[in-house]
């Protein structure tokens, strides 16, 4: 360990598990997939003893309903003395990795297990058979030792009253604002997104851990069809993160001293170099720059500064890809060139996007690629909520000269983020800041738009008028004026 301090945090084991079983009765539940991922991670490190030595087990919440999944894992892995942590929705997934590194660096812990997973495909197969799947039973009073919760709301009543609820509608609105800012036509925007996601599908098809086995053409991804229906214009299903997967990932981080003690081969050590995060929360319709992300601009710039490199020089990168806007706004804010791929997994549509766990899948893949390419640096970015929080992490096979660097840029992001007051009762003319058309089944249902009001405030209104819906899907409507009354918009 001559080149790094004993308390240097090191990622020594990674595991990624995927099951595609049509017979749901044979399929394992989420916590069993997480257990397997952690066992695989220990085997990857060549040190099963890591599991029982865990000081803390960290799991992000998901849709499965476990009260304390980390305790189930602790009992199964022989780590009964480990502290258990559950991170609720709205907590950055990268934040759990950061916590693990911070505790190791501070000497508060030596071995940290991070795991997450879903088995929604298992549930879907059971539902198609008119059945339900079983889950491990916990005592009614069980609670994790630590629960992390976000400090503010992700959505507003004004937005939900207009028909917004699912993330796809919010992201489509933000993407329209970015399109307008970039000066793209609606067709150019759709073409670029389709090409980007067609490339993601090719990457996923070549990724053994990817959910999708065959690539899709840009034409198929772009078009509204029975097998790829429009969800929120211009987003089709294949622009949407794929939650219906059975996937899990496990990461084992420990101190360099423990890695050395257990004889873990140095070729397995992957070092966290830099991590930056912003936890500033704002409701989408209040954001002054609806098509921007101050969080990614500042977190990205800070990460590059701390690492002494430009993200354009990082070949192995995984930009969080829940929707096209997330990828596009990162490229915009971090000034990424149009060369190289933005994913090593195939992204959250094609590689698979287990809810609240994808960053662990991506980190495991980056670690594997770095071991094969020890001269490279790896980048993994994170989004939480509705592009509410942001994080950037850099990884390397070489220990950082000054040690792992962490920066919380929340206050800086807050200071430079312009916010608009959101109101629900405006009457008069206003200008579209961003918009979408929501679909129900195969048919367009409702146009929803965020409006800039003459006095600088904002509101959100809707229309179910067929002529307005058609117009909003045939031309650029950002910057156009409409008459607003009682929460609706009129031509």
């Amino acid at each position: 360990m001559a080149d790094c301090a004993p308390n240097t945090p090191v990622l020594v084991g990674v595991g990624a598990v995927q099951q595609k079983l049509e017979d749901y009765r044979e399929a394992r539940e989420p916590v069993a997939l997480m257990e397997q991922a952690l066992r695989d991670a220990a085997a990857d490190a060549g040190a099963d003893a890591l599991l029982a030595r865990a000081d803390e087990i960290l799991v992000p919440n998901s849709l499965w309903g476990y009260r304390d999944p980390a305790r189930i894992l602790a009992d199964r892995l022989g780590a009964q003395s480990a502290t258990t942590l559950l991170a609720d929705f709205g907590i950055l997934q990268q934040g759990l990795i950061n916590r693990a590194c911070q505790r190791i660096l501070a000497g508060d812990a030596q071995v940290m297990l991070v795991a997450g997973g879903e088995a929604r495909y298992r549930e879907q197969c059971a539902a198609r058979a008119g059945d339900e799947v079983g889950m491990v039973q916990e005592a009614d009073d069980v609670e994790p030792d630590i629960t992390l919760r976000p400090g503010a709301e992700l959505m507003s009543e004004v937005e939900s009253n207009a028909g917004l609820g699912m993330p796809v509608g919010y992201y489509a609105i933000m993407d329209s604002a970015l399109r307008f800012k970039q000066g793209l036509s609606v067709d150019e925007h759709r073409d670029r997104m389709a090409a980007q996601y067609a490339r993601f599908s090719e990457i996923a098809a070549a990724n053994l851990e990817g959910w999708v086995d065959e690539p899709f053409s840009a034409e198929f991804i772009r078009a509204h069809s029975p097998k790829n229906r429009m969800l929120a214009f211009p987003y089709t299903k294949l622009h949407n993160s794929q939650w219906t997967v059975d996937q899990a990932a496990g990461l084992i981080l420990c101190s360099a001293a423990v890695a050395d003690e257990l004889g873990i081969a140095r070729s397995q050590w992957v070092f966290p170099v830099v991590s930056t995060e912003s936890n500033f929360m704002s409701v989408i319709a209040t954001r002054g720059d609806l098509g921007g992300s101050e969080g990614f601009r500042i977190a990205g710039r800070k990460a590059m500064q701390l690492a002494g490199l430009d993200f354009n020089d990082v070949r192995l990168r995984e930009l969080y890809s829940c929707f096209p806007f997330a990828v596009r706004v990162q490229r915009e804010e971090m000034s990424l060139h149009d060369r190289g791929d933005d994913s090593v997994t195939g992204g959250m549509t094609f590689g698979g996007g287990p809810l609240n766990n994808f960053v662990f899948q991506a980190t495991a893949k980056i670690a594997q690629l770095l071991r094969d390419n020890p001269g490279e640096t790896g980048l993994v970015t994170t989004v939480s909520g509705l592009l509410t929080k942001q994080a950037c992490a850099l990884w390397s096979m070489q220990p950082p000269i000054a040690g792992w660097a962490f920066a919380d840029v929340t206050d800086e992001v807050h200071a430079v983020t312009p916010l608009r007051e959101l109101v629900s009762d405006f009457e008069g003319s206003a200008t579209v800041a961003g918009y979408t058309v929501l679909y129900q089944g195969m048919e367009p249902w409702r146009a929803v738009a965020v409006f800039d009001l003459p006095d600088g405030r904002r509101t959100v209104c809707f229309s179910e008028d067929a002529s307005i819906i058609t117009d909003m899907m045939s031309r650029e409507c950002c910057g156009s004026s409409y008459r607003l009354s009682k929460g609706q918009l009129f031509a």
Side-chain angles (χ1 to χ4, degrees):
M1 292 189 301
D3 57 349
C4 64
N7 63 336
T8 299
V10 186
L11 177 62
V12 293
V14 298
V17 176
Q18 176 167 279
Q19 68 178 8
K20 276 188 180 181
L21 296 175
E22 294 292 335
D23 187 348
Y24 60 91
R25 293 163 296 187
E26 297 295 322
R28 291 173 290 179
E29 64 179 293
V31 74
L33 296 179
M34 288 185 250
E35 177 191 355
Q36 185 62 57
L38 286 171
R39 291 191 183 279
D40 288 353
D44 177 58
D48 289 345
L50 286 163
L51 299 175
R53 290 182 61 167
D55 294 295
E56 187 167 285
I57 302 177
L58 305 88
V59 179
N61 204 353
S62 198
L63 301 176
W64 17 249
Y66 302 124
R67 295 182 179 87
D68 187 5
R71 177 53 56 200
I72 302 172
L73 293 171
D75 291 341
R76 293 183 177 185
L77 298 172
Q80 284 83 0
S81 62
T83 299
T84 63
L85 182 147
L86 183 67
D88 214 342
F89 295 105
I91 299 297
L92 284 163
Q93 295 165 49
Q94 180 62 39
L96 301 190
I97 299 173
N98 294 343
R99 175 185 170 89
C101 292
Q102 287 168 327
R103 292 203 64 198
I104 292 168
L105 188 63
D108 296 332
Q110 291 188 312
V111 179
M112 302 285 279
L113 310 185
V114 181
E118 264 294 356
R120 300 285 289 172
Y121 183 70
R122 171 179 179 255
E123 291 184 18
Q124 184 185 69
C125 290
R128 283 201 296 259
D131 200 356
E132 294 183 355
V133 290
M135 304 282 273
V136 66
Q137 297 299 305
E138 299 170 277
D140 292 338
D141 60 349
V142 69
E143 291 184 1
D145 297 319
I146 301 168
T147 303
L148 302 181
R149 295 186 175 91
E153 295 297 324
L154 297 174
M155 306 176 184
S156 71
E157 188 175 353
V158 174
E159 294 166 329
S160 60
N161 286 344
L164 293 173
M166 295 298 290
V168 63
Y170 287 96
Y171 276 89
I173 287 174
M174 290 187 284
D175 214 341
S176 72
L178 176 57
R179 174 185 70 218
F180 185 59
K181 183 165 60 172
Q182 292 176 328
L184 299 175
S185 70
V186 172
D187 283 340
E188 287 172 333
H189 179 211
R190 296 183 68 187
D191 289 344
R192 289 193 183 190
M193 291 191 300
Q196 171 86 84
Y197 272 60
R199 177 57 188 151
F200 281 173
S201 75
E202 292 172 354
I203 295 169
N207 175 16
L208 295 178
E209 289 92 22
W211 188 255
V212 171
D213 298 323
E214 298 292 334
F216 291 86
S217 70
E219 293 75 18
F220 186 82
I221 292 169
R222 186 188 193 279
H224 172 52
S225 68
K227 292 187 177 181
N228 181 42
R229 67 183 183 87
M230 193 73 69
L231 300 179
F233 184 83
Y235 287 173
T236 63
K237 181 180 178 182
L238 290 179
H239 290 126
N240 191 88
S241 178
Q242 174 58 268
W243 292 351
T244 309
V245 297
D246 290 4
Q247 292 179 326
L251 308 175
I252 302 180
L253 296 105
C254 68
S255 66
V258 167
D260 193 53
E261 172 198 337
L262 294 178
I264 298 173
R266 190 60 184 266
S267 59
Q268 297 298 107
W269 296 24
V270 184
F271 294 89
V273 178
V274 168
S275 185
T276 59
E277 64 179 51
S278 170
N279 292 290
F280 173 61
M281 301 184 68
S282 62
V283 171
I284 285 177
T286 68
R287 300 173 191 173
D289 185 359
L290 198 59
S293 173
E294 292 82 3
F296 266 125
R297 184 169 70 249
I298 292 172
R301 183 176 63 200
K302 187 66 174 179
M304 287 187 271
Q305 174 192 337
L306 290 171
L309 56 72
D310 188 312
F311 284 170
N312 283 297
D313 297 325
V314 178
R315 184 179 66 88
L316 302 176
R317 63 192 187 205
E318 186 71 44
L319 302 187
Y320 199 86
S321 54
C322 50
F323 296 97
F325 175 71
V327 181
R328 287 178 14 84
V329 79
Q330 288 178 76
R331 295 184 60 84
E332 180 79 7
E333 298 290 12
M334 298 187 293
S335 301
L336 295 177
H337 300 156
D338 286 328
R339 65 171 185 262
D341 288 318
D342 293 327
S343 174
V344 296
T345 67
M348 298 177 70
T349 298
F350 307 104
L355 184 62
N356 218 17
N357 175 53
F358 174 76
V359 172
F360 305 157
Q361 311 283 137
T363 301
K365 187 66 175 179
I366 285 287
Q368 293 164 353
L369 290 171
L370 287 173
R371 289 168 178 168
D372 294 335
N373 302 271
E376 302 273 6
T377 299
L379 169 66
V380 179
T381 68
T382 308
V383 166
S384 180
L386 303 170
L387 210 92
T388 310
K389 299 179 180 181
Q390 307 83 22
C392 300
L394 289 164
W395 299 84
S396 174
M397 295 300 291
Q398 286 73 46
I401 295 173
W404 175 64
F406 171 75
D408 186 329
V409 297
T410 300
D411 291 342
E412 187 178 350
V413 172
H414 189 183
V416 302
T417 302
L419 297 178
R420 306 284 188 87
E421 181 185 352
L422 190 60
V423 298
S424 60
D425 55 357
F426 180 79
E427 301 279 331
S429 181
T431 303
V432 175
Y435 69 99
T436 187
V437 172
L438 304 176
Y439 273 63
Q440 287 188 337
M442 289 295 293
E443 299 301 320
W445 164 56
R446 173 178 285 190
V448 181
V450 175
F451 284 91
D452 287 323
L453 306 183
D455 60 4
R457 297 182 297 169
R458 283 265 180 80
T459 195
V460 187
C461 293
F462 73 91
S463 174
E464 295 180 6
D465 184 296
S467 62
I468 289 178
I469 288 174
T470 299
D471 187 47
M472 284 193 160
M473 291 193 294
S474 60
R475 69 177 181 92
E476 179 60 78
C477 290
C478 287
S480 298
S481 294
Y482 290 83
R483 181 172 57 87
L484 311 183
S485 178
K486 297 180 180 179
Q488 296 192 47
L489 66 98
F490 302 88

